[in-house]
Every structure is written in C-alpha cells, then in structure tokens.
Amino acid sequence: MRIQYQELCDTLSSILEKRGMSHSDAVLSAHLFADASRDGVYTHGLNRFPLYVSYIDRGFIDVSARAELESRVGLIERWKGNKGPGNINAHMAMQRAIELSHESAIGVVALRDNNHWMRAGNYGLQAAENGCIGILWTNAMPNMPAWGASDARIGNNPLVIAVPYKDTPVLVDIAMSMFSYGKLERYAMEGRECPVDGGFDEKGNLTKDPVAIARTRRLLPMGYWKGSGLAIALDLVASLVSGGRTTKDIGELEVETGVSQFFMAIDLSLFPDRDEMERKIGETLEFIDSSDPVKESVKVHYPGEGMRRIREESMKLGVYADESVWEKISGLI
Amino acid sequence: MRIQYQELCDTLSSILEKRGMSHSDAVLSAHLFADASRDGVYTHGLNRFPLYVSYIDRGFIDVSARAELESRVGLIERWKGNKGPGNINAHMAMQRAIELSHESAIGVVALRDNNHWMRAGNYGLQAAENGCIGILWTNAMPNMPAWGASDARIGNNPLVIAVPYKDTPVLVDIAMSMFSYGKLERYAMEGRECPVDGGFDEKGNLTKDPVAIARTRRLLPMGYWKGSGLAIALDLVASLVSGGRTTKDIGELEVETGVSQFFMAIDLSLFPDRDEMERKIGETLEFIDSSDPVKESVKVHYPGEGMRRIREESMKLGVYADESVWEKISGLI
C-alpha cells in the first residue's frame, strides 16, 4: 500500500507525541523514519518504527532526554546520548559536526551512549544538504562472526560517506555485513535467494539461501576478511574517540542500546575552488554512469542515484508501506 | 630466498642514491619498501621496487622533489606532491597530519599530485607508532569496473585504518577490489584459485580463476556494490579536499601518477581516558581472538595480528624475496 508522505509524518509524530515526546522532536523523528521509507530503505524506516516505539514503552529510549556536549578534546567534541532517541541524537550530533566544519573546514563529534540511529544514510544526506561531505559510522551489538569465526563477536557497523552534488548527492550507506537480518527476512518472505552469497549454511558452506543463513546466524562480512577487519576498526575508533561502549560492551546489555558513533563533516564551501569541485564531481559521475553495462538493459548508476527515482515515485504516488507494518503502526496511535 | 633486513635496506638505498636521491631520503624510501616485504606485503614491497626505479629513470618520479604545503583551509592542510617519490611524500603528509593532531586532537592533510605511495599500511603504522589513530586512503587510475559495468572506470583506492595497541596495532589495509592484479598474478603463478570469487570470466560469470580474471580485466569490487560505491566516494573525497585529480583524470595520463590522497590522524594521548582506552582495545581484541574458529586448527586473529608472526620471522631468518625479483633489483645497482 502507499501512504502520502505528509500523512505518514503526521501519523508517526502523533504516536510519538502521545508518548510524551515534544512536538518539534516528534516531527523530526517522524520525518527521519518517513524519509528512510520514502527513499526505499524500508528496513530502517517504517518497518523499524514499531520497535522504536516499543523501546520507548519499555524505557530503553527516554523521549525527553537529549544528547549533550560532555567535553572537548582539541577540536573533537565528545557528546553523550543520555538514552535519548537515537535518531534525534544522531541528527543533533551531525548538525554540530556541520557547525564546527563551518569554522574549521572539518568538524568531528563523537557520540557515546546513544540508541540505534535507524537509517544511517539520513545523516549523510543531512551533511550533503548543508554543503558538506559527511563521513559517519556507528558500532552495534555483536551480530556477525569475525572472518574465520563461527560465533558473532563483531558488529555490522554501518559506514556512510556522502558527497554533496546538486539535488542528488553521492550516498554510500553500507553495513559491514553483506546483508542485514531485515534483508534476509525479506528475501525469505519473497521466496527469493540473496543475489550473492550472504552467509554460511549448517555445513559451513557459503550460501545464498536466506533461511539457511538465518538459521546459523553466520552472516558474511562484505568482502569476507575486508568487511570483518573494517567492522573491528570502525568499532574501536567510534568507541575510543567517544569514550563509549565497544561492540563487546554492547553485547553485555539486555538489548542493543548505548552504542558509540562518529560524525565528521567537511565544509566544501570554505574551499576557494568550490566551483571547480562541482565540475569534477559531475565529470566523475557522468564517467561512471556511461560505463558499458553488463546487461544492456541495466544502466550503471552512481551510489545514491537510484534513490532519486524511488523518492520521486514516493512523493508522487505515496510512500510504500507493507500492509502488516502499517497495521501495526496504526495500532500504536 | 631470504635477505637480512639491513642488507636489503642498504641495497635499495644505494640504488636510489645512485639515481640522485639524497642519502636520508634514500634510506627512508628503502625502509618503506623493506618494511612492506618484511610484513609480508610483497606486492608493494620488493616486487614493486623495479617499477619505482623505472619511474625515476623515465622521469615520472623526480627524486629531488618533495611534497609541500600549498594552502590551509580551516584546519585542513592541502599539500602538493610535485612529482616527488610517492612513498616519501606520503610519509611527510602523514607526519604532518600527526603533528597537527598533537595540537587539535585531529589533523588532516590532503595531498594532490603525488606518485603511487606503494604500501598503504606503512602510513597507518606510522600513525599508530606515534600514538595516533590513522585513517587514510588514496585514489588510483581506473582499474576496476563499477558494479554493473564491464569496463574499468573506478579505482581500487586502498583504505587504511590503524589503531595503536602495544607493539601490534590494529591494521586494516584494504583495496576496494577483492584482489589486486599482483595477487592474481601470484595465484596464477602458483597454479592456485583465488580463495573466493575475484572477478568475472569471459561469459560474465563470477570466477575464482585468476587467469580468466586477468583476461577480462573485470576485477570484482570487494562486497560487490559496496566496494564499488566506497571506491567512488573515497576518490571524490580525496580529490576534492586535496584539489587534485580524480580517478577519471588520472586515467587520462600516460601512466598512473598525480594521484590524490587523504591523511587523518587522531592523537589518543590527548584524551583524559587514554588508560581506559588501552583496556577497551585489549578486551575487544581478546574477545575476537577467542571466537570459535570455523576450522579448529585455524585460530581467529584481529587485523594486523597475523603480520607480527611474519615480521618476526623476517627479522630472524631474513626477509623473503622472490629470486627473479631480487635478480632484477640486483641488476639496478
């Protein structure tokens, strides 16, 4: 089913206000969820909203708490999340990194003790909308085995890099696992295989079968040992610089909460060759888009470009929502 | 064959001095090559030295030129490489980022117009040896198709993250291709398959056959679309912030030269909880290392840990060198 974007935002924000969130925060949080689904990232948009509300109801998320500055170390600001809503806190932290970058060309905010920030890409787009490169990542609970291991001891720690470009920025938003559990579930529901190997089956062989992977819980790191190593490094940098929990520490909690995040912005508008940059980005993206496609019918797109079509469709026809998800959300009003 | 580390350094540096490089620079460059082979990264150690020398002989590398500060934008320093030796320039840029981080906790140097920096991991280790987190990457000539494309229009743009820890820092040093051409060549020479899919064969199917991949030149990005996207984003950030060439621009030159690089250091010694960090890193690495291994006989290691064994062996028995490579190098004296 499809729901108009504004109706979606109104519904979500009223659910949050009912739970004591201030009007302006509820509107922001609702938009962050709606934006994810609008852009096609359903797993961290509407599909995740009921869990977010249940975390409010169970007290893991404090609707009136907000992230705040804890200390400064040189130019790096360390913030703490105070159990506030993860997406609102992350939005604040990114905004602060952007502000800092307006002064020093580069701004870094490390945020500890935050809740799950939902769709990572939102904060990359936020940087790009403010004329900044955004580089950010989060750690997570242990949900993936390290390369060579069979038990989950590292996080899938999503990494985002965004580069502003006209109305369609470059947006890379990648978890360190090849597929999330949400994606595996969707493939299983649709009776489809993963497009590439996504994990291991019970015999320890790589497989595209989403059901077999969900059974072993042995997700494959993207790029095998490469994604495994990157996940470990990103976890350490975020938790050290923020002074917050490592993936290991998060695993000792009841649910995934109190994560560590790293936000960096680079303000391109301060550079004297800003106009030249626009040409350079355009040429690079055009060069990539005009690659010879493997399948003649499938044009090559730069990362973030495909999202635009989904977004336009969502704004015209309404945002796609799974009926069962929308039923659940409607029950929260 | 094996050659004592010091002998190796002396041989390489005398070859460089003979070509007009100053004594101290020749020693530094020789060490950077020797360190790569010492740590097992032969493709960017000794194996690459003859090409480096040929670039000096052909005038692509100017042995007496050095990178220099071009401008400051806020806290970011923009340096230019002036066709100097890529590894020496990169070492200078990383050292400057480290210096800057001693003042501001974070230091960023973007370097344009540099030559190939050889082994990327060296500069991560350099940061770690100075008590800093190091995050750095380079772009490259077009050598890999974007995801969905069949012709090479993106670079394999290696990314490094290093985190200091005792005498064995965490070191992630990953190209955005699943395997380099150097690695494919080695597998082919040894009559082995790649351990995982490394590219496409002539029918457009994923394959582990290194010969088939070398034939199509369709390298597989690590993590498929993920490595492809990341390569594009890293290229843009390095070239925009440095004001240097994009991968597309580099592809228009006669050989791979004039690349753009990004160096970031975070000085952990400035943080009041530095001691706590040491405990946190140790616990995380111990947690990973004590994972249940897939094969009982193969212990899980954190990234950078395996290198230590190779290094110890190299320092004890001598650094491994391929005989044909050593013969080539000996011919340059």
Side-chain angles (χ1 to χ4, degrees), chain A residues 39 168 301-311:
Chain A
D39 291 349
T168 312
H301 289 295
Y302 70 79
E305 193 180 6
M307 196 180 76
R308 188 181 172 171
R309 191 189 47 75
I310 301 175
R311 185 185 291 191

mmCIF file of all heavy atoms in Angstrom, chain A residues 39 168 301-311:
data_model
loop_
_atom_site.group_PDB
_atom_site.id
_atom_site.type_symbol
_atom_site.label_atom_id
_atom_site.label_comp_id
_atom_site.label_asym_id
_atom_site.label_seq_id
_atom_site.Cartn_x
_atom_site.Cartn_y
_atom_site.Cartn_z
ATOM 1 N N ASP A 39 12.827 6.908 0.600
ATOM 2 C CA ASP A 39 13.995 6.640 -0.247
ATOM 3 C C ASP A 39 14.203 5.144 -0.504
ATOM 4 O O ASP A 39 15.211 4.760 -1.105
ATOM 5 C CB ASP A 39 15.259 7.226 0.400
ATOM 6 C CG ASP A 39 15.241 8.756 0.398
ATOM 7 O OD1 ASP A 39 14.377 9.347 -0.282
ATOM 8 O OD2 ASP A 39 16.094 9.350 1.089
ATOM 9 N N THR A 168 21.111 15.482 -6.073
ATOM 10 C CA THR A 168 21.281 14.031 -5.925
ATOM 11 C C THR A 168 22.701 13.715 -5.469
ATOM 12 O O THR A 168 23.559 13.335 -6.260
ATOM 13 C CB THR A 168 20.981 13.310 -7.263
ATOM 14 O OG1 THR A 168 19.757 13.809 -7.796
ATOM 15 C CG2 THR A 168 20.838 11.810 -7.046
ATOM 16 N N HIS A 301 24.601 3.117 -12.412
ATOM 17 C CA HIS A 301 24.299 4.328 -11.645
ATOM 18 C C HIS A 301 25.339 4.557 -10.565
ATOM 19 O O HIS A 301 25.870 3.611 -10.001
ATOM 20 C CB HIS A 301 22.933 4.198 -10.964
ATOM 21 C CG HIS A 301 21.784 4.253 -11.919
ATOM 22 N ND1 HIS A 301 21.486 5.377 -12.645
ATOM 23 C CD2 HIS A 301 20.879 3.316 -12.274
ATOM 24 C CE1 HIS A 301 20.431 5.137 -13.407
ATOM 25 N NE2 HIS A 301 20.035 3.887 -13.211
ATOM 26 N N TYR A 302 25.581 5.812 -10.258
ATOM 27 C CA TYR A 302 26.474 6.096 -9.123
ATOM 28 C C TYR A 302 25.696 5.914 -7.824
ATOM 29 O O TYR A 302 24.460 5.991 -7.819
ATOM 30 C CB TYR A 302 27.108 7.484 -9.249
ATOM 31 C CG TYR A 302 26.199 8.691 -9.063
ATOM 32 C CD1 TYR A 302 25.823 9.123 -7.789
ATOM 33 C CD2 TYR A 302 25.750 9.427 -10.154
ATOM 34 C CE1 TYR A 302 25.025 10.245 -7.610
ATOM 35 C CE2 TYR A 302 24.957 10.547 -9.990
ATOM 36 C CZ TYR A 302 24.592 10.957 -8.716
ATOM 37 O OH TYR A 302 23.803 12.063 -8.543
ATOM 38 N N PRO A 303 26.395 5.656 -6.718
ATOM 39 C CA PRO A 303 25.687 5.371 -5.460
ATOM 40 C C PRO A 303 24.865 6.569 -4.996
ATOM 41 O O PRO A 303 25.387 7.670 -4.888
ATOM 42 C CB PRO A 303 26.814 5.050 -4.469
ATOM 43 C CG PRO A 303 28.087 5.480 -5.111
ATOM 44 C CD PRO A 303 27.863 5.530 -6.578
ATOM 45 N N GLY A 304 23.605 6.337 -4.734
ATOM 46 C CA GLY A 304 22.701 7.412 -4.314
ATOM 47 C C GLY A 304 21.781 7.847 -5.440
ATOM 48 O O GLY A 304 20.736 8.462 -5.213
ATOM 49 N N GLU A 305 22.169 7.518 -6.672
ATOM 50 C CA GLU A 305 21.393 7.999 -7.821
ATOM 51 C C GLU A 305 20.061 7.250 -7.958
ATOM 52 O O GLU A 305 19.026 7.854 -8.256
ATOM 53 C CB GLU A 305 22.224 7.824 -9.099
ATOM 54 C CG GLU A 305 21.658 8.559 -10.298
ATOM 55 C CD GLU A 305 22.511 8.347 -11.551
ATOM 56 O OE1 GLU A 305 23.467 7.559 -11.514
ATOM 57 O OE2 GLU A 305 22.187 8.986 -12.574
ATOM 58 N N GLY A 306 20.117 5.946 -7.712
ATOM 59 C CA GLY A 306 18.904 5.134 -7.849
ATOM 60 C C GLY A 306 17.814 5.565 -6.887
ATOM 61 O O GLY A 306 16.620 5.477 -7.183
ATOM 62 N N MET A 307 18.249 6.055 -5.732
ATOM 63 C CA MET A 307 17.337 6.504 -4.677
ATOM 64 C C MET A 307 16.396 7.600 -5.163
ATOM 65 O O MET A 307 15.263 7.699 -4.720
ATOM 66 C CB MET A 307 18.204 7.070 -3.567
ATOM 67 C CG MET A 307 17.572 7.256 -2.246
ATOM 68 S SD MET A 307 18.847 7.940 -1.134
ATOM 69 C CE MET A 307 18.885 9.656 -1.721
ATOM 70 N N ARG A 308 16.931 8.410 -6.070
ATOM 71 C CA ARG A 308 16.166 9.569 -6.527
ATOM 72 C C ARG A 308 14.856 9.151 -7.195
ATOM 73 O O ARG A 308 13.816 9.765 -6.986
ATOM 74 C CB ARG A 308 17.024 10.339 -7.528
ATOM 75 C CG ARG A 308 16.415 11.652 -7.927
ATOM 76 C CD ARG A 308 17.303 12.344 -8.930
ATOM 77 N NE ARG A 308 16.649 13.513 -9.464
ATOM 78 C CZ ARG A 308 17.252 14.411 -10.223
ATOM 79 N NH1 ARG A 308 18.525 14.259 -10.522
ATOM 80 N NH2 ARG A 308 16.588 15.434 -10.680
ATOM 81 N N ARG A 309 14.924 8.087 -8.010
ATOM 82 C CA ARG A 309 13.742 7.603 -8.712
ATOM 83 C C ARG A 309 12.700 7.110 -7.702
ATOM 84 O O ARG A 309 11.513 7.430 -7.797
ATOM 85 C CB ARG A 309 14.150 6.470 -9.657
ATOM 86 C CG ARG A 309 13.090 6.040 -10.651
ATOM 87 C CD ARG A 309 13.506 4.765 -11.382
ATOM 88 N NE ARG A 309 14.013 3.720 -10.472
ATOM 89 C CZ ARG A 309 13.248 2.974 -9.667
ATOM 90 N NH1 ARG A 309 11.942 3.125 -9.645
ATOM 91 N NH2 ARG A 309 13.796 2.063 -8.880
ATOM 92 N N ILE A 310 13.183 6.359 -6.705
ATOM 93 C CA ILE A 310 12.264 5.854 -5.670
ATOM 94 C C ILE A 310 11.639 7.024 -4.918
ATOM 95 O O ILE A 310 10.449 7.044 -4.642
ATOM 96 C CB ILE A 310 13.013 4.932 -4.678
ATOM 97 C CG1 ILE A 310 13.631 3.745 -5.429
ATOM 98 C CG2 ILE A 310 12.086 4.456 -3.574
ATOM 99 C CD1 ILE A 310 14.485 2.853 -4.566
ATOM 100 N N ARG A 311 12.468 8.025 -4.612
ATOM 101 C CA ARG A 311 11.964 9.174 -3.865
ATOM 102 C C ARG A 311 10.883 9.908 -4.655
ATOM 103 O O ARG A 311 9.835 10.268 -4.115
ATOM 104 C CB ARG A 311 13.111 10.137 -3.536
ATOM 105 C CG ARG A 311 12.675 11.288 -2.655
ATOM 106 C CD ARG A 311 13.778 12.300 -2.434
ATOM 107 N NE ARG A 311 14.861 11.757 -1.617
ATOM 108 C CZ ARG A 311 15.835 12.505 -1.097
ATOM 109 N NH1 ARG A 311 15.854 13.813 -1.310
ATOM 110 N NH2 ARG A 311 16.798 11.956 -0.377
#
